[in-house]
C-alpha cells in the first residue's frame, strides 16, 4: 500500500516535472518574476519616497529588529512559493476536466492523495527556484539575513506545505462541485494571501482580519520563516509550530474526506465530465 | 449591424460569466482581497493619509480611499484586459475560425465583450464602494458629481481602447495570455495605483504617462476623495479623450493586422 503510494507520488512528480520543463523558455521564466519585482518595488518606493523611511513605532515592537524591506522580502518569497506550489495543486482536477482526462484519472485505483502529493512535490521543486530568486532580488532592495536557523527554515517550509496541501485538497473539492472554472480557486488563494501577514504584521490588521488569520497555516509558516531568517526573539516558536501542525492535519483530514465524498457523489450522478 | 453584434456578444458573455449565482460572490471576493492586500501594505507606516500632488494643487487623501479607488480602477483595467481574451476563449472552444469567417465587425465583437465586463463591473463598483464605506470607513468627498461621472466614463473608454489593442496579441501569438498577464503588474506599478506619481522615480514617469490608467486614477481619486471639480481635472480628462481616440484607431489597425497574418499562416486555431 505504502510502496504503491510512493510509486504514484514519484510517477506523478516525474510526469509533472517533464510537463513543466518540456516547454521551458527563458522569456517565460523571466516573466514569472515581474510580480515579485513589482511588489518589492512598490514597497521600496513606499518606504523610501512616500513615507521617507518613517515606520510606525509599533512595527519594531511587533516584528523585532528586522528592517521593513527584509520583512517584505520574506513575505513575498513565501507568497511566490505558496502561489507556485499550492495554486497548482488546487487546480489539478479542473485541468483534468478541461483536458478530458478526469474520468480516466478517477477510474484508476491509485490513491488520490498520493496523486496530488506527486503534483505538490513537482510544483514545490519548481517553485523553490522562484523562491530562491526572490531572495536574490530582495537583496537588491535591501533584504538582509540577520540570523539563519536552518532547521527552523526548512521545518517552516515543510510544515506549511502540508497545510497548503490540505487547502489544495479542499480547493479541488470545491472546483469539482461547482462548475466554475478557476474563480473559486483563485479567490480562495487570494483571500489566504491577504490575511497571512505577508506585507504587515498580523497585529496591525483589524480585529476581524486577525481572527481569519488564526485559521490559516500560512500565518504561522511565514512567521516561523521570518524568525528563521530575521531573528527568533519576538515570537513563541513552539506555539507557532504546534499551531502549524494542528492546522495542517486539520486541513488534510477535512480535504481528503471532502474530496472522497465528492468523488463518490459525482460518480453516482455521472457528473464528472458532463453536467 | 454594428450595434446588434455588440449586444449579441455582450449577452453571450454575460450568460457565460453568470452560469451560477455563486459567481457574484467570488467575483466580489477577488478584488476585495486585492484591495485589502494593498491596504495592509500601508499599515506598517506611521501616516494615515497620503499627499497627492497634481499641477499646482496638493490634496491630502484618505489612505483607505486612495487604496480603494486604486483597486477599483485597476480591477476594471484587468477586466478590460481580460475582455481582450474574447478571441482566446473562442480559440479554446474551437469557434475562432467561424467567428472570424463571419462578417461581424471585429471591433464590435470586442466592444460586446467589453460592455459585458463593464456591466459586471458596475455592481462590483457599487458593492465594493459601499462595503468599504461601511466597514473600513472610507472618507468620500464629492463636490462635483458631473466631474466624477466624466472621470469614470472617460477612464472606462480609454481603458477599453487599450484592452482592444492588447487583443491583437491573443490572435497574433500563442503566448498572448502570458504577455497580457505579465503586463498587468508593470502597469499597476507605473500607473500610480499603489503610490502617487510624485513619488515615482523620474526616469519611469514617461512610461507612466503612456497609460490611460494613470490619468484615470488621478481624475477619479481627485473627484471622489479630494472634492475636485471639473476645472481641477480638466487636463487628465482631456488626455483621456485623446488616448481613447488614439488607442481605438491603433486597436483597429492591430487587430486587422493580426487577423490577416493569422489567416495567411493558417494559425487561427492550430499554431
Amino acid at each position: 500500500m505504502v510502496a504503491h503510494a510512493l510509486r504514484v507520488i514519484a510517477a506523478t512528480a516525474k510526469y509533472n516535472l517533464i510537463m513543466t520543463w518540456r516547454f521551458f523558455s527563458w522569456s517565460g521564466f523571466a516573466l514569472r518574476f515581474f510580480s515579485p519585482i513589482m511588489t518589492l518595488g512598490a514597497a521600496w518606493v513606499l518606504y523610501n519616497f512616500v513615507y521617507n523611511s518613517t515606520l510606525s513605532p509599533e512595527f519594531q515592537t511587533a516584528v523585532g529588529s528586522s528592517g521593513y524591506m527584509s520583512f517584505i522580502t520574506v513575505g513575498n518569497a513565501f507568497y511566490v512559493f505558496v502561489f507556485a506550489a499550492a495554486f497548482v495543486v488546487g487546480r489539478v482536477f479542473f485541468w483534468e476536466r478541461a483536458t478530458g482526462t478526469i474520468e480516466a484519472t478517477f477510474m484508476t485505483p491509485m490513491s488520490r492523495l498520493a496523486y496530488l502529493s506527486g503534483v505538490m512535490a513537482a510544483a514545490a521543486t519548481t517553485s523553490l527556484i522562484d523562491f530562491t530568486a526572490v531572495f536574490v532580488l530582495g537583496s537588491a532592495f535591501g533584504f538582509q539575513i540577520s540570523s539563519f536557523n536552518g532547521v527552523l527554515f526548512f521545518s517552516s517550509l515543510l510544515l506549511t506545505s502540508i497545510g497548503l496541501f490540505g487547502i489544495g485538497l479542499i480547493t479541488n473539492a470545491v472546483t469539482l462541485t461547482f462548475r466554475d472554472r478557476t474563480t473559486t480557486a483563485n479567490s480562495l488563494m487570494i483571500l489566504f494571501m491577504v490575511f497571512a501577514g505577508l506585507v504587515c504584521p498580523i497585529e496591525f490588521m483589524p480585529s476581524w482580519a486577525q481572527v481569519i488569520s488564526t485559521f490559516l497555516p500560512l500565518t504561522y509558516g511565514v512567521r516561523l520563516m521570518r524568525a528563521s531568517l530575521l531573528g527568533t526573539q519576538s515570537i513563541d516558536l513552539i506555539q507557532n509550530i504546534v499551531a502549524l501542525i494542528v492546522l495542517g492535519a486539520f486541513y488534510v483530514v477535512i480535504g481528503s474526506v471532502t474530496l472522497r465524498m465528492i468523488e463518490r457523489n459525482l460518480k453516482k450522478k455521472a457528473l464528472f465530465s458532463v453536467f | 449591424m454594428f450595434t446588434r453584434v455588440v449586444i449579441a456578444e455582450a449577452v453571450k458573455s454575460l450568460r457565460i460569466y453568470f452560469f451560477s449565482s455563486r459567481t457574484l460572490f467570488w467575483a466580489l471576493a477577488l478584488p476585495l482581497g486585492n484591495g485589502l492586500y494593498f491596504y495592509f501594505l500601508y499599515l506598517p507606516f506611521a501616516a494615515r493619509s497620503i499627499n497627492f500632488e497634481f499641477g499646482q494643487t496638493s490634496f491630502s487623501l484618505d489612505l483607505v480611499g486612495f487604496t480603494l479607488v486604486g483597486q477599483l480602477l485597476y480591477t476594471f483595467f484587468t477586466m478590460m484586459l481580460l475582455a481582450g481574451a474574447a478571441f482566446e476563449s473562442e480559440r479554446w472552444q474551437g469557434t475562432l475560425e467561424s467567428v472570424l469567417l463571419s462578417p461581424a465587425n471585429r471591433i464590435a465583437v470586442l466592444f460586446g465583450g467589453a460592455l459585458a465586463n463593464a456591466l459586471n463591473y458596475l455592481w462590483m463598483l457599487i458593492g465594493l464602494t459601499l462595503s468599504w464605506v461601511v466597514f473600513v470607513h472610507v472618507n468620500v468627498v464629492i463636490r462635483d458629481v458631473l466631474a466624477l461621472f466624466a472621470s469614470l466614463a472617460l477612464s472606462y473608454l480609454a481603458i477599453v481602447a487599450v484592452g482592444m489593442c492588447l487583443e491583437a496579441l491573443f490572435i497574433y501569438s500563442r503566448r498572448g495570455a502570458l504577455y497580457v498577464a505579465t503586463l498587468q503588474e508593470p502597469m499597476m506599478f507605473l500607473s500610480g495605483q499603489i503610490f502617487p506619481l510624485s513619488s515615482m522615480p523620474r526616469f519611469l514617469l514617461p512610461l507612466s504617462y503612456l497609460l490611460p490608467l494613470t490619468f484615470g486614477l488621478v481624475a477619479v481619486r481627485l473627484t471622489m476623495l479630494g472634492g475636485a471639480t471639473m476645472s481641477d481635472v480638466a487636463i487628465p480628462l482631456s488626455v483621456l479623450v485623446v488616448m481613447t481616440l488614439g488607442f481605438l484607431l491603433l486597436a483597429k489597425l492591430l487587430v486587422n493586422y493580426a487577423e490577416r497574418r493569422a489567416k495567411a499562416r493558417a494559425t487561427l486555431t492550430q499554431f
Side-chain angles (χ1 to χ4, degrees):
Chain A
M1 185 75 174
V2 175
H4 178 73
L6 287 174
R7 281 179 62 196
V8 172
I9 292 173
T12 312
K14 184 181 173 186
Y15 159 79
N16 276 275
L17 283 172
I18 291 172
M19 289 286 284
T20 304
W21 294 100
R22 177 178 284 164
F23 301 109
F24 177 80
S25 76
W26 281 107
S27 59
F29 181 72
L31 291 176
R32 279 155 59 175
F33 296 104
F34 260 55
S35 177
I37 289 175
M38 291 305 141
T39 307
L40 287 173
W44 183 76
V45 171
L46 278 177
Y47 181 63
N48 289 297
F49 296 104
V50 179
Y51 293 114
N52 299 315
S53 312
T54 312
L55 291 164
S56 150
E58 293 84 17
F59 181 79
Q60 294 282 352
T61 317
V63 302
S65 57
S66 62
Y68 175 71
M69 285 312 298
S70 296
F71 180 86
I72 291 289
T73 302
V74 177
N76 205 30
F78 204 72
Y79 174 84
V80 167
F81 176 75
V82 168
F83 191 81
F87 197 69
V88 172
V89 176
R91 299 202 299 177
V92 168
F93 291 133
F94 160 72
W95 284 113
E96 294 279 1
R97 184 178 265 162
T99 51
T101 52
I102 193 164
E103 292 196 354
T105 303
F106 276 104
M107 276 183 75
T108 65
M110 69 179 175
S111 156
R112 313 310 183 222
L113 290 187
Y115 178 62
L116 290 170
S117 300
V119 176
M120 179 83 177
T125 306
T126 306
S127 62
L128 280 176
I129 298 170
D130 303 45
F131 180 70
T132 311
V134 174
F135 283 118
V136 175
L137 290 170
S139 62
F141 288 97
F143 167 66
Q144 286 179 327
I145 297 174
S146 51
S147 68
F148 181 65
N149 182 336
V151 175
L152 189 57
F153 179 82
F154 289 109
S155 303
S156 65
L157 265 185
L158 181 69
L159 291 174
T160 309
S161 299
I162 295 170
L164 292 174
F165 178 69
I167 290 170
L169 292 179
I170 296 171
T171 311
N172 271 299
V174 171
T175 309
L176 278 176
T177 311
F178 304 139
R179 62 173 196 163
D180 67 354
R181 293 177 61 187
T182 52
T183 318
T184 310
N186 292 357
S187 306
L188 277 173
M189 286 298 169
I190 287 285
L191 289 176
F192 288 140
M193 294 302 105
V194 171
F195 298 107
L198 299 180
V199 289
C200 83
I202 299 293
E203 296 81 354
F204 282 41
M205 294 180 182
S207 52
W208 57 268
Q210 290 188 35
V211 172
I212 297 173
S213 75
T214 54
F215 294 102
L216 303 178
L218 310 183
T219 304
Y220 307 98
V222 74
R223 204 180 272 163
L224 289 171
M225 182 160 288
R226 283 195 178 113
S228 73
L229 293 169
L230 309 174
T232 56
Q233 300 92 332
S234 57
I235 66 162
D236 184 341
L237 290 178
I238 301 297
Q239 188 187 357
N240 280 279
I241 290 171
V242 170
L244 194 50
I245 292 170
V246 170
L247 276 178
F250 173 76
Y251 280 118
V252 169
V253 170
I254 294 289
S256 53
V257 170
T258 315
L259 196 57
R260 193 175 302 163
M261 282 169 55
I262 284 167
E263 180 187 344
R264 199 174 298 152
N265 188 41
L266 291 178
K267 276 182 176 168
K268 268 185 193 167
K269 296 183 178 175
L271 290 174
F272 266 130
S273 299
V274 182
F275 55 102
Chain B
M1 176 69 176
F2 187 92
T3 315
R4 282 178 62 194
V5 173
V6 171
I7 293 171
E9 191 65 31
V11 170
K12 185 187 85 178
S13 299
L14 282 171
R15 281 190 176 165
I16 291 173
Y17 190 74
F18 288 107
F19 58 85
S20 158
S21 54
R22 285 184 296 273
T23 309
L24 285 169
F25 174 75
W26 290 119
L28 187 63
L30 195 62
L32 182 62
N34 273 330
L36 284 173
Y37 184 81
F38 288 116
Y39 173 59
F40 291 162
L41 192 64
Y42 297 103
L43 294 183
F45 298 102
R48 284 290 166 267
S49 64
I50 205 156
N51 199 32
F52 195 86
E53 292 170 14
F54 185 74
Q56 303 300 318
T57 325
S58 178
F59 296 82
S60 179
L61 301 185
D62 172 51
L63 193 53
V64 182
F66 180 85
T67 314
L68 169 66
V69 172
Q71 187 55 37
L72 281 176
L73 267 198
Y74 177 69
T75 305
F76 182 55
F77 185 60
T78 52
M79 284 176 80
M80 288 304 112
L81 296 188
L82 294 176
F87 287 149
E88 178 84 348
S89 306
E90 300 285 356
R91 183 177 271 152
W92 261 64
Q93 294 158 16
T95 48
L96 181 60
E97 287 187 325
S98 308
V99 168
L100 293 184
L101 270 168
S102 76
N105 186 300
R106 309 319 184 214
I107 297 296
V109 171
L110 293 178
F111 254 130
L115 183 64
N117 272 19
L119 290 172
N120 284 341
Y121 176 76
L122 196 62
W123 61 262
M124 195 191 296
L125 173 84
I126 295 166
L128 264 179
T129 309
L130 283 178
S131 62
W132 279 60
V133 168
V134 172
F135 295 113
V136 203
H137 311 298
V138 179
N139 188 19
V140 176
V141 183
I142 302 170
R143 289 212 181 89
D144 189 339
V145 179
L146 191 63
L148 175 62
F149 177 77
S151 303
L152 286 171
L154 287 171
S155 300
Y156 164 71
L157 288 172
I159 287 170
V160 167
V162 172
M164 287 179 175
C165 288
L166 292 173
E167 173 67 25
L169 275 178
F170 285 93
I171 308 173
Y172 185 80
S173 167
R174 63 191 288 179
R175 290 193 175 163
L178 175 69
Y179 293 142
V180 170
T182 307
L183 280 172
Q184 288 179 18
E185 299 279 348
M187 286 179 179
M188 180 177 77
F189 183 86
L190 291 168
S191 64
Q193 185 217 333
I194 309 171
F195 47 81
L197 284 182
S198 53
S199 302
M200 179 79 74
R202 293 284 159 209
F203 68 97
L204 290 175
L205 277 176
L207 293 174
S208 300
Y209 292 142
L210 289 175
L211 301 174
L213 184 60
T214 305
F215 295 96
L217 282 169
V218 169
V220 177
R221 275 177 174 146
L222 291 181
T223 50
M224 195 170 170
L225 305 170
T229 59
M230 193 67 91
S231 59
D232 292 324
V233 290
I235 293 173
L237 292 186
S238 310
V239 175
L240 284 172
V241 171
V242 173
M243 280 187 159
T244 303
L245 296 173
F247 279 117
L248 274 178
L249 185 64
L250 187 63
K252 186 164 173 51
L253 294 173
L254 288 176
V255 170
N256 285 345
Y257 169 74
E259 182 186 340
R260 263 201 318 275
R261 188 175 178 278
K263 278 181 175 171
R265 295 185 172 198
T267 54
L268 277 177
T269 305
Q270 307 291 342
F271 61 106

